[in-house]
Amino acid sequence: MKAKKILDSFNYAFEGIIYTLKTQRNMRIHFVIAVLVLFASVFFHLSKVETLILFITIALVIIAEMINTSIEATIDLITDKYHELAKIAKNVAAGAVLVSAVNSIIVAYIIFYDKLNKISLILIYKVRAMPIHITFISLIIVIFVSIGVKAYFGNGTPLRGGMPSGHAAISFSIFIAVVFLSKNTLIITLAFILAILVVQSRIEAGIHSLMQVLVGAFLGALITLFIFQLIY
């Protein structure tokens, strides 16, 4: 009986994780990013201390998201009416998730900065002498392709809504161009953050769905990457 109770405890715990994954979009995002970071860490030969910090940081983000979900569920169980204290509880829990997420970005940046900087210097320096007009040609092609795909799907306008997101395509096209033209990892990181903010703003404004911005970002990045690699 005791062994069964322990097994049931594990089952309940996994059910909680699965429920959070099924119902919370942010949790799914955290999981995908965690998998990508852990996969990347294999190729960067992290020390034991760096690996330990990485695992702790990932765990903190996931734990914070799960606590946030449990608090929201508890409040919704207690009342379905608006209450200032319920709002405060939910906002504070969401703030804890935000703090842990920002902390994870800082930790990942500190751990991977030097390693990424060395790789970028090796790979990017070779193409820094490319004519600047290649960047503008890439942007124009990305814009034309985005409009063409929108015309194919028949929804949205060239500047608003529809599949794919033109803003996401252009922002990630610029990001890839910066990757090739700059040898500074900090500048590349800032360009990536700006691209993410553009994508996030389109979703928050209700102009595009997550799928539309993902397709746009992939399209813009892929076209620009292909052009730079082709010229190189």
Side-chain angles (χ1 to χ4, degrees):
M1 288 293 293
K2 190 173 183 181
K4 186 178 179 181
K5 288 182 179 180
I6 293 175
L7 183 61
D8 287 339
S9 298
F10 278 106
N11 285 331
Y12 296 147
F14 279 112
E15 285 179 5
I17 297 173
I18 292 172
Y19 172 81
T20 311
L21 277 171
K22 284 184 177 179
T23 60
Q24 303 299 315
R25 184 186 67 180
N26 288 342
M27 185 64 161
R28 294 193 290 271
I29 294 174
H30 295 327
F31 257 72
V32 171
I33 293 176
V35 170
L36 293 176
V37 170
L38 291 174
F39 181 77
S41 67
V42 175
F43 301 95
F44 288 99
H45 306 291
L46 300 183
S47 66
K48 290 183 179 180
V49 175
E50 290 174 330
T51 304
L52 178 62
I53 293 173
L54 205 59
F55 274 111
I56 293 174
T57 303
I58 291 172
L60 284 175
V61 174
I62 294 175
I63 291 169
E65 184 63 50
M66 293 181 69
I67 292 175
N68 177 51
T69 302
S70 64
I71 290 175
E72 289 182 346
T74 302
I75 292 174
D76 292 338
L77 175 65
I78 295 173
T79 179
D80 58 353
K81 298 179 180 179
Y82 174 82
H83 194 286
E84 187 64 25
L85 293 178
K87 176 184 176 183
I88 292 173
K90 288 187 176 183
N91 288 347
V92 171
V97 176
L98 178 61
V99 170
S100 65
V102 172
N103 175 71
S104 68
I105 295 173
I106 295 172
V107 170
Y109 185 80
I110 292 174
I111 290 176
F112 289 106
Y113 176 81
D114 290 335
K115 298 173 176 61
L116 288 173
N117 198 38
K118 291 178 182 177
I119 294 176
S120 64
L121 288 176
I122 295 173
L123 298 179
I124 299 171
Y125 183 76
K126 296 180 180 179
V127 292
R128 288 188 67 234
M130 284 184 177
I132 298 299
H133 69 266
I134 295 177
T135 304
F136 296 102
I137 291 174
S138 301
L139 287 174
I140 293 173
I141 293 175
V142 168
I143 292 171
F144 284 176
V145 171
S146 298
I147 294 174
V149 174
K150 282 189 177 186
Y152 174 80
F153 283 98
N155 56 5
T157 68
L159 295 178
R160 185 179 179 86
M163 171 69 81
S165 168
H167 286 72
I170 293 172
S171 62
F172 271 84
S173 174
I174 294 173
F175 163 64
I176 295 298
V178 171
V179 169
F180 277 95
L181 296 175
S182 174
K183 66 176 182 179
N184 191 309
T185 305
L186 177 59
I187 294 177
I188 294 173
T189 304
L190 292 175
F192 177 73
I193 293 174
L194 286 175
I196 292 295
L197 289 175
V198 170
V199 167
Q200 185 266 344
S201 66
R202 305 304 285 180
I203 297 175
E204 289 295 327
I207 299 173
H208 288 287
S209 66
L210 177 62
M211 180 58 67
Q212 289 171 343
V213 297
L214 287 177
V215 172
F218 177 79
L219 189 66
L222 185 64
I223 292 174
T224 308
L225 180 63
F226 174 78
I227 292 173
F228 272 84
Q229 290 291 343
L230 183 64
I231 299 298
Y232 174 69

